[in-house]
Amino acid sequence: MELKKHHILLILIFLFSIAFRLFFAFQTPYFSNDNSYFVLRQVDYISKTGLPLYDDPLSYSGRNLPFTPFFQYILAFFNLFLPLNIVGKIIPNILASTIIFVAYLIVFEITKNRRAAVAIALTSAFIPIFIRETVNSVSDFSIVIPILLFIIYFLLKIDESKKYVVLLLVMITLLVLTSPIFVVLLLGLIFYFLLLKTEKIGHERDELEIILFSGFLYFWFNFIIFKKAFLLYGPGIIWQNIPNILLSTYFFDINILESVYAVGVIPFIFGIFIIYTFVFKQKNKAIYLLTSLALSVFILLWLKLLPFVSGLIFLGSFLVLLLGQYIKSFLTYIEKSKFSRRTNLFFGLFILLIFITSLVPCILYSLNSVEKAPSKEMIDALDFIKHNTEQNSVVLGSIAEGHLITYFSERKNVIDSDFLLIRDINQRIPDIDKIYTTIYKTDAIKLLNKYSINYIILSNETMTRYKITDLKYYDTECFNLVYDNKVKIYQSLCKLEAD
Amino acid sequence: MKNNKSQSNIKKYSILFILIFTFVFLSVPLLRFFSNQHLAGSEPYYHLRISELLHNKITNYDDLGFSGRPYYLNLNHLVLSRFNNILFFVMFLPMLFGLLSVFIFYKIIDSYGIEKKHNMLICLILASSPVFIFTFTIYNLYFLPIFLLLLSLFFLLRDNLVVPAICLALLPLFNIVLVPFALLLLFIYYTKYKKKGFTLLIASLSFTSILYYFIIYYPLTLPQMLNLQTQPFLSYFVSDFGSDFGFSAFMLLLGIIGFYKSWRNKRDYLYIYIITFSLLAASYFFTKANIFLNFFIVLFSALAVVSMLNMNWKLELVKKATILLVVCGLLFSSVSYFNRLLKMEPSNEQVNSIIYMKGDSANKDIVLSYYKNGFWIEYFAEKPTMLDEYIYYAPNLKNRYNASQAIFYSRSLDSTKKLLDNYNVKYIWIDEKMKSGLVWNKEEQGLLFLLQNKETFKNIYNSSEVEVWKYLK
C-alpha cells in the first residue's frame, strides 16, 4: 500500500503525540495518581498467576474488590517482555494516542473532507483533560476512549460490510470487559433513537439490534462482576460507596469555565455550535449520534451520576469530533466567499488557533501531573517499611497513600481510594482523621488497636492536610519513631486492655 | 404419513431431551449421595426426623423443636413414615416428582397448541430455573402440591373432573397454606373457560380443608407471625444474590421484556397478569410464593426469547450473538446455583460437631444456635433446641426469639446467664457463618466476648468451622 500524504501526516501526529506524552511521563519515575499503583499491582499479579487479584489481602488489610480486568490483561501481556514500570509509562500513552486514527476515520466518514479529518486527528491528540488523566497515570481511559470511538466509527459503517458488524461486536465486548462506563454509550444510543424519532428520521433496524446485544452483554457481565456491590448498594452503586465526606470531590456541579479549559476552548465552543445547528436547523444522523452521546454525558454530569473528570473526558472527545463538522462548514464557507484563494491560509490559522488553545492547557496539565507524583522521600520511606517491618504489618497512611503502601511496601493498608464493598467506610475516615489529629493518647491507641495498625506514616501531604508536624500524642512509651527523613514513620507499641 | 411419523418422533425425542435435561439439573441429591455428603439444606432434616418419629408411633407432640411443641399431622410425614428407608425417599422423591411435573407441564402447554420448539424452550427454562431446582431437589412441603395442581390442570383441560377433585381434596392435607392459592386458580380457570364442575372442585377442596383444619388445628387461631428476614428483599428474590428460592437475574430481565411484549395482547394475558401480580405481592411476605411465581416468570421469559427468535433481524451475526448471550446468561445462573446446592451445608465437619455434642451427654439438654441450624441439631444430636426454622404455632415464639437475640448480643454476663437459665440452655453451637455476619460482625461481639469467661463456659469442640460451648452455670 502506497503511503499517501494524509497517512504520513497521521503518522507524524501520532509520533508527535507519543513524544509529547512520553517526554512528560519520563520526567519522574513515579506515577501521578495512586490508582496507577493499584493497576500495576493487578498487572503484576496477572503476569504471575494469569488471574486478577479480586481478593486483595493488602488493601484495607484484606478485602474483595470487583473490577473489569481487560486493561490490566493488556498491560500484563506487555509485561511479559518489558519491565512493569516501563509498561505503565509507555503502553497507556501509546494506546491513548491511537485516538488520532479513529478520530480521523470518524470525521472523514462524516464530512468526507480529508483536511477536516486530519485537523481533528491533531486536535484529538491534545484534549487537555484526556492528557491530564492519561499522560503520567496508568488509567483505563487510555483504552476506553479509543475503543468507544471505534464503536462509533463501526456503527456509522455498519451497513457497508459484514466485517464492520464483527468488528463492532468485538469492540463492544472489549469495552464491556474494560469499564462499567459503557453505560454512557448505552444511554447515548437510547438518546439517539429518541432524537431520530423526534426529528422523524427512521432508524436502522441493525442499530436497534446492536443496542439489544450490548444491553444484554453489559447487564450480564457487570452483574457477574459487581453483583455483591449491586446487592449492597442497589442503584447507589453509581457512587461507588465513596464516603459522604468525599462525594463532593468526585461528583460536583458543572463549572463552565473549568469545563471549557479542560475540554479545549475551540472544541467546546464550536462543538456546541454544531449541536445547536444540527438539532434546530439541519439533519444528519451521524451528527445526531455524536450529539446524543454528548447530551447523555452532559445530563449524567448535571445529575451528578458521573464523576466530573470522567464526564469531561467523554464530553471532550465527542465535542472534538463535532468540531470536524464545523471545520468542514468553515472551509466550504471560505471557498464560497471572496477569500476562496486564501482558504489554506484561513485553514492554517484556524488550526493554529485550535492547537495553541489546546496545547497550552495540555502542557500546564502535564507539568501539574508530573508534580503530583509522589516524592522520592516518600518512596524511600515506603521502601524502608518494606525492608524493616514484619510481613503482616498494617500501615496507616492517607487515602491517597493507600495504594502506594501496598505497591511499594507490600504491606497491608488501612484505607485507599477504592471504597467499593467497604462497609464501615464512613466510620473509617473520621477514625483516621482522629488518629492524626487527636491530642489524647488513649483515643489514638484505641483506634490503632481497632484497625490493628502497627505503623503510621506522616508524609508532607498529611502534615499539610492536618496542619501538624508531629503526632500530638507521641511519646516514647507507646510509640517508636523508626524513620525520620522528611517523612516520619511511627511504630505503635501499646495495646489497650478490655474492661 | 411419513411426515406424521417424523412429527411424532420429534415430539417423543423432545420430551426425552427435556426429561434428561431436567434430570441433570435435579441430580444434586444423587451427586451428593455418591460423594458421601449429607442431605443438602436444613428443612429435609425436619421432615426426616418427624417421619421417623411417626414411624414408631403416631404422636401430636414434637419434644425437640422449640424445646417441645405441639405437632400437627401432615400427610407428607404420614406417607413417608410408612416406608422403612425414609432417608432414601426424602432424598429422591422430590427429584422423581420434578421429572413428572415437567412432563405434565409440557403436556399442559402442548394442549394450548403452542409450537413444539417453543414448548420445549419453556420447559427447558423451567427445568433450569433455580427455584425449580431447589423445589425438586430439597425435600419440602411444596413439591407434592405443585405436582397435584399441575395434574389437576392437566385433567381439567381434558374435561376430566374426577382426578382434579381427588388431587384438590388431597392438597390441604399436604400443605393447607396453599388452599387460598388453589381457590384463586380455580376461580380464574372457571371465569376464563366457563366450564362445568366448579362447584364439585370447590367442594372437594373446601371439604378436606375444613375437615383437616377442625380436626388437626382446632381450636387454634392463626399462627403467630415473626419476620426473621434481616437481609434486603433482593437477596431473597434473586438467586444470584444468594437466595435459595430466588430467580436468576437474567431470567427476571427476560421476564420483564416478555411482560412488555405480552402487553400488546393484554386482554389475552389478563388472568396471567392477575396471578403473577398476586404472587409477586405475596412473595414480598412469603418467599415460598416464588415457587409458584416461577412458572409465570418462566412463561414471560420464554415469550421474550421466542420474540427474539421470531424478530426480523437484519444482522444475522448479532442475532446469533444475542441468543448465545441469553442462553449463556440463563445457564450461567443455573449452573452456579447447581454448584451452590452441591456445596450446600451441612458440611461433614458441621455434622461431626453435632454428633460429638450428642455423645457429650445422654440428657436431652437444650442447644442454642442460630434458628436456621435448629433442624440439624435436632436430627443429628437428638437434642432439643431453643429455636428452629419451623416458627408457625411455636410456643412463645417472640419471647424466645428476643431472648436468643439478647443472649447473642449482650455483653453482660449476669443477664446472659439469667436468660440461659430461663430457657435451660446447656450447649451453644456456633459455626463460621454465624461469626462472619449471620449473627456477629466483629470479634468479641456480644456472646463471643462472654465465652472467654472460663468459669461459665467450656469449649468442648473446636474446629475451623464450628465451636461448641457448654454452659457450666
Side-chain angles (χ1 to χ4, degrees), chain A residues 274-293:
Chain A
I274 287 296
I275 291 179
Y276 163 78
T277 312
F278 278 83
V279 169
F280 293 105
K281 292 180 178 173
Q282 300 175 35
K283 288 181 181 179
N284 181 320
K285 276 179 75 174
I287 298 289
Y288 280 165
L289 178 60
L290 295 175
T291 301
S292 310
L293 290 165

Side-chain angles (χ1 to χ4, degrees), chain B residues 23-38:
Chain B
F23 178 78
V24 170
F25 274 105
L26 299 184
S27 61
V28 174
L30 213 59
L31 294 172
R32 285 183 72 109
F33 177 75
F34 286 118
S35 57
N36 287 325
Q37 282 176 280
H38 297 275

Side-chain angles (χ1 to χ4, degrees), chain A residues 182-470:
Chain A
F182 181 79
V183 73
V184 171
L185 179 71
L186 264 183
L187 201 67
L189 289 174
I190 293 166
F191 272 123
Y192 173 58
F193 281 102
L194 288 176
L195 202 60
L196 292 185
K197 207 154 194 170
T198 46
E199 293 295 321
K200 293 184 178 123
I201 303 173
H203 61 76
E204 298 292 333
R205 196 163 180 83
D206 42 15
E207 290 164 345
L208 197 69
E209 291 165 11
I210 290 293
I211 289 190
L212 195 66
F213 168 77
S214 315
F216 274 123
L217 184 68
Y218 180 75
F219 174 80
W220 185 48
F221 186 73
N222 282 284
F223 189 80
I224 292 171
I225 298 276
F226 296 104
K227 69 178 175 188
K228 263 191 203 166
F230 190 72
L231 175 64
L232 213 55
Y233 312 118
I237 196 173
I238 295 164
W239 293 287
Q240 300 154 43
N241 195 33
I242 293 170
N244 301 337
I245 202 163
L246 296 178
L247 204 58
S248 58
T249 59
Y250 288 78
F251 297 85
F252 46 88
D253 288 327
I254 297 173
N255 180 332
I256 295 292
L257 272 181
E258 196 185 333
S259 307
V260 172
Y261 184 76
V263 167
V265 180
I266 303 293
F268 192 91
I269 295 170
F270 291 106
I272 287 178
F273 175 75
I274 287 296
I275 291 179
Y276 163 78
T277 312
F278 278 83
V279 169
F280 293 105
K281 292 180 178 173
Q282 300 175 35
K283 288 181 181 179
N284 181 320
K285 276 179 75 174
I287 298 289
Y288 280 165
L289 178 60
L290 295 175
T291 301
S292 310
L293 290 165
L295 274 178
S296 73
V297 173
F298 187 77
I299 289 171
L300 288 173
L301 277 175
W302 184 43
L303 297 174
K304 295 184 190 172
L305 296 174
L306 190 65
F308 189 66
V309 171
S310 314
L312 281 188
I313 294 175
F314 286 115
L315 204 61
S317 313
F318 301 141
L319 289 177
V320 161
L321 297 177
L322 286 165
L323 177 67
Q325 179 63 34
Y326 181 81
I327 293 175
K328 185 202 169 186
S329 311
F330 174 74
L331 289 174
T332 315
Y333 175 77
I334 296 287
E335 276 163 10
K336 283 179 185 170
S337 73
K338 59 182 176 183
F339 301 108
S340 59
R341 278 189 293 174
R342 302 265 182 235
T343 308
N344 284 344
L345 177 70
F346 278 102
F347 176 66
L349 284 174
F350 191 69
I351 297 306
L352 194 66
L353 182 69
I354 298 173
F355 191 57
I356 290 169
T357 52
S358 291
L359 193 67
V360 172
C362 282
I363 293 171
L364 294 175
Y365 271 151
S366 302
L367 286 171
N368 180 255
S369 197
V370 172
E371 276 171 25
K372 273 165 66 183
S375 62
K376 171 124 188 5
E377 290 79 17
M378 180 67 188
I379 304 300
D380 287 345
L382 294 168
D383 203 44
F384 172 85
I385 292 175
K386 182 180 176 181
H387 294 108
N388 298 284
T389 64
E390 284 174 28
Q391 190 81 36
N392 216 22
S393 305
V394 177
V395 181
L396 173 69
S398 68
I399 294 174
E401 289 155 1
H403 288 310
L404 302 182
I405 293 168
T406 53
Y407 181 78
F408 287 105
S409 307
E410 296 172 12
R411 296 291 179 269
K412 292 174 180 175
N413 68 29
V414 182
I415 197 164
D416 57 46
S417 55
D418 283 309
F419 308 111
L420 204 65
L421 295 178
I422 304 298
R423 283 174 188 264
D424 61 346
I425 193 67
N426 283 310
Q427 182 57 47
R428 232 168 235 254
I429 289 177
D431 282 350
I432 290 166
D433 290 345
K434 199 169 183 182
I435 293 174
Y436 280 115
T437 54
T438 185
I439 54 170
Y440 302 110
K441 194 166 75 173
T442 46
D443 282 357
I445 293 174
K446 207 170 167 184
L447 290 169
L448 291 169
N449 289 174
K450 180 179 173 184
Y451 296 105
S452 310
I453 296 166
N454 306 106
Y455 294 91
I456 306 164
I457 297 182
L458 191 60
S459 64
N460 280 333
E461 290 73 24
T462 314
M463 288 182 201
T464 315
R465 186 173 166 221
Y466 293 112
K467 297 186 181 98
I468 52 171
T469 51
D470 213 338

Side-chain angles (χ1 to χ4, degrees), chain A residues 48-263:
Chain A
K48 284 173 186 159
T49 65
L51 291 169
L53 182 63
Y54 283 130
D55 287 310
D56 188 340
L58 303 185
S59 175
Y60 288 82
S61 306
R63 57 91 70 93
N64 176 271
L65 176 64
F67 64 94
T68 43
F70 179 67
F71 179 57
Q72 285 80 347
Y73 270 98
I74 294 259
L75 297 183
F77 170 75
F78 288 101
N79 188 214
L80 296 175
F81 331 108
L82 294 167
L84 192 58
N85 206 44
I86 298 293
V87 168
K89 289 278 180 185
I90 295 178
I91 305 301
N93 278 312
I94 293 176
L95 290 172
S97 296
T98 56
I99 190 177
I100 291 161
F101 301 110
V102 64
Y104 170 84
L105 290 170
I106 292 172
V107 175
F108 184 70
E109 181 63 25
I110 295 172
T111 62
K112 304 293 177 206
N113 185 312
R114 234 175 259 292
R115 280 201 290 185
V118 173
I120 291 307
L122 179 65
T123 316
S124 68
F126 297 99
I127 301 169
I129 187 79
F130 185 49
I131 289 272
R132 188 184 88 175
E133 292 302 308
T134 54
V135 72
N136 191 35
S137 308
V138 193
S139 160
D140 60 4
F141 276 115
S142 306
I143 192 170
V144 164
I145 297 297
I147 293 180
L148 183 66
L149 298 196
F150 269 116
I151 290 174
I152 295 171
Y153 176 65
F154 294 136
L155 261 176
L156 296 175
K157 302 279 280 182
I158 198 169
D159 283 332
E160 284 182 23
S161 158
K162 203 179 167 184
K163 77 173 180 196
Y164 291 115
V165 179
V166 178
L167 288 169
L168 181 61
L169 294 186
V170 171
M171 286 297 163
I172 287 175
T173 310
L174 293 185
L175 188 55
V176 169
L177 296 176
T178 308
S179 169
I181 211 86
F182 181 79
V183 73
V184 171
L185 179 71
L186 264 183
L187 201 67
L189 289 174
I190 293 166
F191 272 123
Y192 173 58
F193 281 102
L194 288 176
L195 202 60
L196 292 185
K197 207 154 194 170
T198 46
E199 293 295 321
K200 293 184 178 123
I201 303 173
H203 61 76
E204 298 292 333
R205 196 163 180 83
D206 42 15
E207 290 164 345
L208 197 69
E209 291 165 11
I210 290 293
I211 289 190
L212 195 66
F213 168 77
S214 315
F216 274 123
L217 184 68
Y218 180 75
F219 174 80
W220 185 48
F221 186 73
N222 282 284
F223 189 80
I224 292 171
I225 298 276
F226 296 104
K227 69 178 175 188
K228 263 191 203 166
F230 190 72
L231 175 64
L232 213 55
Y233 312 118
I237 196 173
I238 295 164
W239 293 287
Q240 300 154 43
N241 195 33
I242 293 170
N244 301 337
I245 202 163
L246 296 178
L247 204 58
S248 58
T249 59
Y250 288 78
F251 297 85
F252 46 88
D253 288 327
I254 297 173
N255 180 332
I256 295 292
L257 272 181
E258 196 185 333
S259 307
V260 172
Y261 184 76
V263 167

